[in-house]
Amino acid sequence: MKCAVHDQTRPETVRVFIALAPPDHAKEELARELRPAYGTHPQLRWNRIEDWHITLAFLGELPVATVPLLRPPLAALAAGSRPPSLALRGSGEFDDRVLWSGVDGDLDTLHTLAADVRTTVKDCGVVLEERPFRPHLTLARARRGDRSSAHEIAEGLAGFSGLRWSAEKLHLVGSNAGRSSGPIHYRDIEAWPLGDGKPTGR
């Protein structure tokens, strides 16, 4: 399904991304492994467990009027996409400061879904940064000057291997990142159940 985003200058924007979310039992399993680190590294900016997600496409700041135009094509894409079977596994860090958990499982299906999401968004006229898809779940961010905490925790999580789970929904998410000095919060703008992989009529 194609859609057109009209070039309108609007003062109101929202920071948007499209993601998958692990089920509660998978998040709780990883949270148990992280519990000691919460105590030993309280200075990290820990993401809230309920906000953990796997970003498929980061859209950045969009005019509020653009968001409704994304809904029909993303709903159709979700309905025609096969849910990947995934697991949270291992850990690492970006730039010595961003702590993440890795993603394992049906990565071919996950990469296909991410590519389809990005194509759909581009068909709506949204310009995306050309960056490779590296599936991960961001756990925490170290403050500037702290270049050891994320590495220490990642080493402790290197052997973590979570149980398999099936992604259930495609989430269109808004965030307040960059708008305040407080913690980052996320909210579902909308979410659509993933289907059986059979194309829908569009």
Side-chain angles (χ1 to χ4, degrees):
M1 177 178 290
K2 302 285 185 179
C3 64
V5 174
H6 301 290
D7 184 13
Q8 296 178 336
T9 302
R10 292 288 300 266
E12 296 124 348
T13 63
V14 60
R15 181 171 290 230
V16 177
F17 59 88
I18 299 164
L20 301 178
D24 287 344
H25 69 83
K27 292 188 287 190
E28 290 164 1
E29 189 180 23
L30 178 56
R32 285 195 297 270
E33 292 290 319
L34 280 172
R35 198 160 291 140
Y38 290 148
T40 57
H41 294 79
Q43 75 280 12
L44 265 63
R45 291 182 294 171
W46 292 95
N47 284 6
R48 300 188 309 167
I49 294 172
E50 58 265 37
D51 289 337
W52 284 353
H53 61 269
I54 300 165
T55 299
L56 302 179
F58 178 70
L59 281 59
E61 294 281 344
L62 295 182
V64 171
T66 296
V67 175
L69 302 176
L70 296 169
R71 287 173 166 152
L74 287 174
L77 171 63
S81 297
R82 184 165 64 88
S85 175
L86 305 172
L88 300 177
R89 184 160 299 166
S91 186
E93 77 274 355
F94 297 135
D95 301 325
D96 296 327
R97 293 183 55 214
V98 180
L99 175 70
W100 50 265
S101 172
V103 178
D104 200 2
D106 189 0
L107 297 183
D108 287 343
T109 299
L110 179 61
H111 277 266
T112 296
L113 178 59
D116 289 345
V117 164
R118 294 176 184 209
T119 297
T120 298
V121 169
K122 289 176 182 177
D123 285 345
C124 286
V126 176
V127 178
L128 298 178
E129 287 186 33
E130 293 297 332
R131 61 174 73 173
F133 176 54
R134 300 173 65 180
H136 66 280
L137 188 155
T138 300
L139 303 174
R141 291 171 175 80
R143 301 185 186 280
R144 294 191 184 280
D146 179 357
R147 306 187 70 84
S148 62
S149 293
H151 180 71
E152 291 169 2
I153 299 168
E155 281 193 325
L157 285 174
F160 173 74
S161 182
L163 296 175
R164 283 279 192 122
W165 47 273
S166 181
E168 296 180 350
K169 294 181 178 181
L170 186 68
H171 297 259
L172 180 65
V173 187
S175 85
N176 68 338
R179 297 176 184 271
S180 71
S181 58
I184 299 173
H185 293 294
Y186 305 96
R187 63 178 180 85
D188 262 11
I189 297 171
E190 196 158 341
W192 303 274
L194 292 167
D196 55 11
K198 296 178 181 178
T200 58
R202 286 188 273 177

Tab-separated table of all heavy atoms in Angstrom, residues 93-138:
chain	number	residue	atom	x	y	z
A	93	GLU	N	28.370	-3.567	24.079
A	93	GLU	CA	28.199	-2.132	24.257
A	93	GLU	C	28.572	-1.397	22.981
A	93	GLU	O	29.405	-1.873	22.204
A	93	GLU	CB	28.996	-1.611	25.449
A	93	GLU	CG	30.489	-1.456	25.230
A	93	GLU	CD	31.271	-2.745	25.481
A	93	GLU	OE1	30.681	-3.752	25.911
A	93	GLU	OE2	32.491	-2.716	25.228
A	94	PHE	N	27.915	-0.285	22.756
A	94	PHE	CA	28.253	0.619	21.657
A	94	PHE	C	29.005	1.815	22.230
A	94	PHE	O	28.565	2.404	23.232
A	94	PHE	CB	26.994	1.129	20.937
A	94	PHE	CG	26.173	0.055	20.259
A	94	PHE	CD1	24.798	0.031	20.392
A	94	PHE	CD2	26.775	-0.905	19.466
A	94	PHE	CE1	24.032	-0.937	19.758
A	94	PHE	CE2	26.025	-1.878	18.825
A	94	PHE	CZ	24.654	-1.890	18.972
A	95	ASP	N	30.122	2.158	21.607
A	95	ASP	CA	30.878	3.355	21.990
A	95	ASP	C	31.232	3.381	23.479
A	95	ASP	O	31.339	4.460	24.081
A	95	ASP	CB	30.100	4.629	21.635
A	95	ASP	CG	29.806	4.713	20.143
A	95	ASP	OD1	30.654	4.278	19.341
A	95	ASP	OD2	28.718	5.199	19.781
A	96	ASP	N	31.394	2.211	24.091
A	96	ASP	CA	31.760	2.085	25.500
A	96	ASP	C	30.714	2.633	26.457
A	96	ASP	O	30.948	2.647	27.673
A	96	ASP	CB	33.095	2.793	25.792
A	96	ASP	CG	34.271	2.178	25.067
A	96	ASP	OD1	34.257	0.943	24.879
A	96	ASP	OD2	35.187	2.919	24.683
A	97	ARG	N	29.555	3.059	25.955
A	97	ARG	CA	28.591	3.714	26.835
A	97	ARG	C	27.185	3.133	26.781
A	97	ARG	O	26.432	3.274	27.742
A	97	ARG	CB	28.507	5.214	26.508
A	97	ARG	CG	29.778	5.994	26.822
A	97	ARG	CD	29.588	7.469	26.537
A	97	ARG	NE	28.441	8.007	27.258
A	97	ARG	CZ	27.651	8.964	26.788
A	97	ARG	NH1	27.846	9.467	25.585
A	97	ARG	NH2	26.646	9.412	27.524
A	98	VAL	N	26.810	2.510	25.667
A	98	VAL	CA	25.445	2.007	25.513
A	98	VAL	C	25.445	0.490	25.696
A	98	VAL	O	26.037	-0.242	24.899
A	98	VAL	CB	24.874	2.379	24.134
A	98	VAL	CG1	23.455	1.834	23.992
A	98	VAL	CG2	24.881	3.891	23.940
A	99	LEU	N	24.795	0.032	26.747
A	99	LEU	CA	24.723	-1.398	27.068
A	99	LEU	C	23.516	-2.021	26.373
A	99	LEU	O	22.424	-1.472	26.421
A	99	LEU	CB	24.600	-1.568	28.587
A	99	LEU	CG	24.403	-2.991	29.111
A	99	LEU	CD1	25.670	-3.816	28.922
A	99	LEU	CD2	23.974	-2.961	30.577
A	100	TRP	N	23.744	-3.162	25.717
A	100	TRP	CA	22.645	-3.809	25.019
A	100	TRP	C	22.656	-5.315	25.220
A	100	TRP	O	23.673	-5.907	25.578
A	100	TRP	CB	22.666	-3.495	23.520
A	100	TRP	CG	23.997	-3.713	22.824
A	100	TRP	CD1	24.950	-2.776	22.581
A	100	TRP	CD2	24.507	-4.938	22.295
A	100	TRP	NE1	26.025	-3.340	21.921
A	100	TRP	CE2	25.782	-4.659	21.734
A	100	TRP	CE3	24.023	-6.243	22.227
A	100	TRP	CZ2	26.576	-5.644	21.132
A	100	TRP	CZ3	24.805	-7.231	21.629
A	100	TRP	CH2	26.070	-6.918	21.085
A	101	SER	N	21.492	-5.925	24.969
A	101	SER	CA	21.362	-7.381	24.898
A	101	SER	C	21.220	-7.768	23.438
A	101	SER	O	20.548	-7.073	22.668
A	101	SER	CB	20.136	-7.850	25.688
A	101	SER	OG	19.911	-9.246	25.473
A	102	GLY	N	21.837	-8.873	23.064
A	102	GLY	CA	21.755	-9.327	21.687
A	102	GLY	C	20.461	-10.068	21.402
A	102	GLY	O	19.699	-10.418	22.310
A	103	VAL	N	20.199	-10.303	20.126
A	103	VAL	CA	18.993	-11.002	19.684
A	103	VAL	C	19.412	-12.186	18.822
A	103	VAL	O	20.253	-12.054	17.925
A	103	VAL	CB	18.078	-10.064	18.875
A	103	VAL	CG1	16.838	-10.808	18.383
A	103	VAL	CG2	17.676	-8.856	19.715
A	104	ASP	N	18.831	-13.342	19.095
A	104	ASP	CA	19.143	-14.558	18.351
A	104	ASP	C	17.832	-15.172	17.875
A	104	ASP	O	16.754	-14.716	18.223
A	104	ASP	CB	19.918	-15.525	19.257
A	104	ASP	CG	20.687	-16.569	18.478
A	104	ASP	OD1	20.654	-16.533	17.226
A	104	ASP	OD2	21.317	-17.429	19.111
A	105	GLY	N	17.940	-16.221	17.079
A	105	GLY	CA	16.745	-16.906	16.616
A	105	GLY	C	16.573	-16.811	15.113
A	105	GLY	O	17.541	-16.936	14.357
A	106	ASP	N	15.341	-16.550	14.682
A	106	ASP	CA	14.999	-16.505	13.259
A	106	ASP	C	15.395	-15.139	12.691
A	106	ASP	O	14.545	-14.287	12.394
A	106	ASP	CB	13.496	-16.763	13.097
A	106	ASP	CG	13.091	-16.946	11.648
A	106	ASP	OD1	13.978	-16.877	10.765
A	106	ASP	OD2	11.884	-17.147	11.396
A	107	LEU	N	16.704	-14.944	12.532
A	107	LEU	CA	17.209	-13.632	12.134
A	107	LEU	C	16.910	-13.306	10.677
A	107	LEU	O	16.769	-12.131	10.321
A	107	LEU	CB	18.718	-13.553	12.406
A	107	LEU	CG	19.125	-13.675	13.879
A	107	LEU	CD1	20.635	-13.508	14.026
A	107	LEU	CD2	18.394	-12.646	14.737
A	108	ASP	N	16.799	-14.320	9.820
A	108	ASP	CA	16.451	-14.046	8.424
A	108	ASP	C	15.071	-13.390	8.331
A	108	ASP	O	14.885	-12.397	7.611
A	108	ASP	CB	16.473	-15.334	7.595
A	108	ASP	CG	17.889	-15.826	7.326
A	108	ASP	OD1	18.835	-15.030	7.485
A	108	ASP	OD2	18.044	-17.006	6.957
A	109	THR	N	14.100	-13.954	9.058
A	109	THR	CA	12.761	-13.378	9.066
A	109	THR	C	12.773	-11.985	9.689
A	109	THR	O	12.080	-11.068	9.218
A	109	THR	CB	11.783	-14.286	9.835
A	109	THR	OG1	11.725	-15.559	9.195
A	109	THR	CG2	10.387	-13.690	9.891
A	110	LEU	N	13.572	-11.807	10.746
A	110	LEU	CA	13.667	-10.507	11.400
A	110	LEU	C	14.252	-9.458	10.449
A	110	LEU	O	13.735	-8.332	10.348
A	110	LEU	CB	14.525	-10.620	12.657
A	110	LEU	CG	14.749	-9.325	13.452
A	110	LEU	CD1	13.420	-8.751	13.943
A	110	LEU	CD2	15.696	-9.570	14.623
A	111	HIS	N	15.311	-9.812	9.726
A	111	HIS	CA	15.925	-8.871	8.784
A	111	HIS	C	14.971	-8.551	7.626
A	111	HIS	O	14.916	-7.397	7.169
A	111	HIS	CB	17.245	-9.436	8.249
A	111	HIS	CG	18.405	-9.212	9.166
A	111	HIS	ND1	19.251	-8.136	9.042
A	111	HIS	CD2	18.845	-9.921	10.242
A	111	HIS	CE1	20.182	-8.189	9.993
A	111	HIS	NE2	19.951	-9.263	10.737
A	112	THR	N	14.228	-9.558	7.174
A	112	THR	CA	13.250	-9.311	6.114
A	112	THR	C	12.173	-8.345	6.584
A	112	THR	O	11.782	-7.419	5.861
A	112	THR	CB	12.610	-10.636	5.655
A	112	THR	OG1	13.620	-11.465	5.084
A	112	THR	CG2	11.516	-10.387	4.626
A	113	LEU	N	11.680	-8.538	7.816
A	113	LEU	CA	10.661	-7.655	8.363
A	113	LEU	C	11.193	-6.229	8.480
A	113	LEU	O	10.500	-5.263	8.117
A	113	LEU	CB	10.196	-8.169	9.731
A	113	LEU	CG	9.156	-7.322	10.451
A	113	LEU	CD1	7.885	-7.175	9.611
A	113	LEU	CD2	8.830	-7.932	11.818
A	114	ALA	N	12.426	-6.089	8.971
A	114	ALA	CA	13.014	-4.751	9.098
A	114	ALA	C	13.144	-4.075	7.734
A	114	ALA	O	12.855	-2.878	7.587
A	114	ALA	CB	14.371	-4.839	9.785
A	115	ALA	N	13.575	-4.837	6.726
A	115	ALA	CA	13.717	-4.272	5.379
A	115	ALA	C	12.359	-3.861	4.822
A	115	ALA	O	12.221	-2.800	4.188
A	115	ALA	CB	14.386	-5.291	4.455
A	116	ASP	N	11.323	-4.690	5.059
A	116	ASP	CA	9.981	-4.364	4.568
A	116	ASP	C	9.436	-3.118	5.267
A	116	ASP	O	8.764	-2.286	4.639
A	116	ASP	CB	9.037	-5.544	4.788
A	116	ASP	CG	9.337	-6.713	3.864
A	116	ASP	OD1	10.077	-6.528	2.870
A	116	ASP	OD2	8.840	-7.827	4.144
A	117	VAL	N	9.702	-2.992	6.561
A	117	VAL	CA	9.264	-1.810	7.307
A	117	VAL	C	9.911	-0.560	6.722
A	117	VAL	O	9.253	0.465	6.485
A	117	VAL	CB	9.606	-1.950	8.803
A	117	VAL	CG1	9.532	-0.599	9.508
A	117	VAL	CG2	8.669	-2.940	9.479
A	118	ARG	N	11.201	-0.633	6.459
A	118	ARG	CA	11.910	0.540	5.941
A	118	ARG	C	11.421	0.912	4.539
A	118	ARG	O	11.275	2.093	4.217
A	118	ARG	CB	13.417	0.270	5.954
A	118	ARG	CG	13.961	0.116	7.369
A	118	ARG	CD	15.432	-0.242	7.412
A	118	ARG	NE	15.865	-0.467	8.798
A	118	ARG	CZ	17.090	-0.261	9.234
A	118	ARG	NH1	18.030	0.153	8.404
A	118	ARG	NH2	17.392	-0.472	10.503
A	119	THR	N	11.159	-0.103	3.722
A	119	THR	CA	10.619	0.180	2.391
A	119	THR	C	9.248	0.845	2.484
A	119	THR	O	8.951	1.812	1.764
A	119	THR	CB	10.512	-1.116	1.570
A	119	THR	OG1	11.828	-1.652	1.373
A	119	THR	CG2	9.878	-0.872	0.214
A	120	THR	N	8.403	0.335	3.373
A	120	THR	CA	7.066	0.901	3.551
A	120	THR	C	7.134	2.356	3.995
A	120	THR	O	6.401	3.217	3.491
A	120	THR	CB	6.277	0.063	4.579
A	120	THR	OG1	6.124	-1.265	4.089
A	120	THR	CG2	4.904	0.662	4.846
A	121	VAL	N	8.023	2.637	4.941
A	121	VAL	CA	8.161	4.004	5.450
A	121	VAL	C	8.667	4.937	4.346
A	121	VAL	O	8.184	6.067	4.185
A	121	VAL	CB	9.100	4.021	6.667
A	121	VAL	CG1	9.484	5.441	7.055
A	121	VAL	CG2	8.440	3.310	7.851
A	122	LYS	N	9.632	4.456	3.566
A	122	LYS	CA	10.149	5.280	2.471
A	122	LYS	C	9.077	5.543	1.423
A	122	LYS	O	9.019	6.627	0.830
A	122	LYS	CB	11.368	4.597	1.831
A	122	LYS	CG	12.609	4.599	2.709
A	122	LYS	CD	13.749	3.825	2.040
A	122	LYS	CE	14.977	3.775	2.923
A	122	LYS	NZ	16.064	2.968	2.295
A	123	ASP	N	8.209	4.547	1.175
A	123	ASP	CA	7.113	4.733	0.232
A	123	ASP	C	6.147	5.819	0.704
A	123	ASP	O	5.404	6.384	-0.099
A	123	ASP	CB	6.341	3.423	0.029
A	123	ASP	CG	7.102	2.428	-0.842
A	123	ASP	OD1	8.073	2.847	-1.516
A	123	ASP	OD2	6.722	1.240	-0.850
A	124	CYS	N	6.175	6.089	2.000
A	124	CYS	CA	5.346	7.160	2.557
A	124	CYS	C	6.053	8.507	2.500
A	124	CYS	O	5.537	9.504	3.004
A	124	CYS	CB	4.975	6.835	4.002
A	124	CYS	SG	3.736	5.538	4.165
A	125	GLY	N	7.242	8.543	1.919
A	125	GLY	CA	7.954	9.800	1.776
A	125	GLY	C	8.825	10.186	2.945
A	125	GLY	O	9.358	11.292	2.989
A	126	VAL	N	8.977	9.295	3.919
A	126	VAL	CA	9.822	9.580	5.076
A	126	VAL	C	11.263	9.210	4.741
A	126	VAL	O	11.540	8.093	4.289
A	126	VAL	CB	9.354	8.795	6.319
A	126	VAL	CG1	10.303	9.030	7.489
A	126	VAL	CG2	7.936	9.198	6.694
A	127	VAL	N	12.179	10.123	4.946
A	127	VAL	CA	13.590	9.892	4.662
A	127	VAL	C	14.242	9.244	5.880
A	127	VAL	O	14.165	9.761	6.994
A	127	VAL	CB	14.308	11.210	4.316
A	127	VAL	CG1	15.791	10.953	4.065
A	127	VAL	CG2	13.670	11.860	3.092
A	128	LEU	N	14.865	8.092	5.665
A	128	LEU	CA	15.542	7.373	6.741
A	128	LEU	C	17.046	7.476	6.580
A	128	LEU	O	17.560	7.531	5.464
A	128	LEU	CB	15.150	5.892	6.729
A	128	LEU	CG	13.677	5.548	6.952
A	128	LEU	CD1	13.502	4.042	6.848
A	128	LEU	CD2	13.205	6.049	8.301
A	129	GLU	N	17.740	7.468	7.709
A	129	GLU	CA	19.197	7.357	7.654
A	129	GLU	C	19.558	5.964	7.159
A	129	GLU	O	18.973	4.970	7.575
A	129	GLU	CB	19.816	7.564	9.047
A	129	GLU	CG	19.795	8.989	9.533
A	129	GLU	CD	20.554	9.128	10.845
A	129	GLU	OE1	21.556	8.389	11.042
A	129	GLU	OE2	20.142	9.946	11.669
A	130	GLU	N	20.534	5.889	6.261
A	130	GLU	CA	20.971	4.594	5.746
A	130	GLU	C	21.974	4.002	6.719
A	130	GLU	O	23.158	4.265	6.653
A	130	GLU	CB	21.590	4.759	4.353
A	130	GLU	CG	20.600	5.190	3.276
A	130	GLU	CD	19.503	4.152	3.057
A	130	GLU	OE1	19.745	2.955	3.299
A	130	GLU	OE2	18.404	4.560	2.651
A	131	ARG	N	21.464	3.220	7.657
A	131	ARG	CA	22.339	2.562	8.627
A	131	ARG	C	22.012	1.076	8.644
A	131	ARG	O	20.853	0.691	8.467
A	131	ARG	CB	22.160	3.169	10.027
A	131	ARG	CG	20.763	3.032	10.583
A	131	ARG	CD	20.663	3.514	12.015
A	131	ARG	NE	20.732	4.959	12.137
A	131	ARG	CZ	20.537	5.608	13.279
A	131	ARG	NH1	20.272	4.926	14.380
A	131	ARG	NH2	20.597	6.923	13.323
A	132	PRO	N	23.007	0.214	8.820
A	132	PRO	CA	22.729	-1.224	8.823
A	132	PRO	C	21.853	-1.613	10.003
A	132	PRO	O	21.924	-1.000	11.078
A	132	PRO	CB	24.129	-1.857	8.929
A	132	PRO	CG	24.993	-0.787	9.510
A	132	PRO	CD	24.443	0.502	9.021
A	133	PHE	N	21.034	-2.621	9.798
A	133	PHE	CA	20.163	-3.119	10.855
A	133	PHE	C	20.958	-4.049	11.758
A	133	PHE	O	21.456	-5.083	11.314
A	133	PHE	CB	18.964	-3.850	10.252
A	133	PHE	CG	18.061	-4.484	11.261
A	133	PHE	CD1	17.530	-3.746	12.307
A	133	PHE	CD2	17.742	-5.835	11.166
A	133	PHE	CE1	16.690	-4.333	13.246
A	133	PHE	CE2	16.898	-6.428	12.087
A	133	PHE	CZ	16.370	-5.683	13.135
A	134	ARG	N	21.109	-3.678	13.007
A	134	ARG	CA	21.822	-4.480	14.008
A	134	ARG	C	20.859	-4.763	15.149
A	134	ARG	O	20.727	-3.956	16.075
A	134	ARG	CB	23.062	-3.741	14.508
A	134	ARG	CG	24.065	-3.419	13.413
A	134	ARG	CD	25.201	-2.545	13.915
A	134	ARG	NE	26.019	-3.216	14.912
A	134	ARG	CZ	27.068	-2.657	15.508
A	134	ARG	NH1	27.420	-1.410	15.221
A	134	ARG	NH2	27.769	-3.325	16.402
A	135	PRO	N	20.157	-5.892	15.093
A	135	PRO	CA	19.118	-6.150	16.096
A	135	PRO	C	19.693	-6.241	17.508
A	135	PRO	O	20.633	-6.989	17.763
A	135	PRO	CB	18.506	-7.481	15.655
A	135	PRO	CG	19.507	-8.096	14.743
A	135	PRO	CD	20.249	-6.971	14.098
A	136	HIS	N	19.130	-5.456	18.411
A	136	HIS	CA	19.570	-5.445	19.798
A	136	HIS	C	18.483	-4.807	20.643
A	136	HIS	O	17.539	-4.200	20.132
A	136	HIS	CB	20.877	-4.662	19.955
A	136	HIS	CG	20.737	-3.205	19.677
A	136	HIS	ND1	20.721	-2.693	18.388
A	136	HIS	CD2	20.562	-2.135	20.502
A	136	HIS	CE1	20.559	-1.388	18.436
A	136	HIS	NE2	20.450	-1.019	19.713
A	137	LEU	N	18.656	-4.921	21.934
A	137	LEU	CA	17.736	-4.331	22.895
A	137	LEU	C	18.566	-3.459	23.839
A	137	LEU	O	19.424	-3.969	24.568
A	137	LEU	CB	17.018	-5.450	23.658
A	137	LEU	CG	15.865	-5.111	24.593
A	137	LEU	CD1	14.948	-6.322	24.723
A	137	LEU	CD2	16.375	-4.722	25.964
A	138	THR	N	18.378	-2.141	23.801
A	138	THR	CA	19.180	-1.233	24.625
A	138	THR	C	18.724	-1.307	26.076
A	138	THR	O	17.532	-1.167	26.376
A	138	THR	CB	19.062	0.219	24.116
A	138	THR	OG1	19.539	0.276	22.766
A	138	THR	CG2	19.876	1.171	24.980
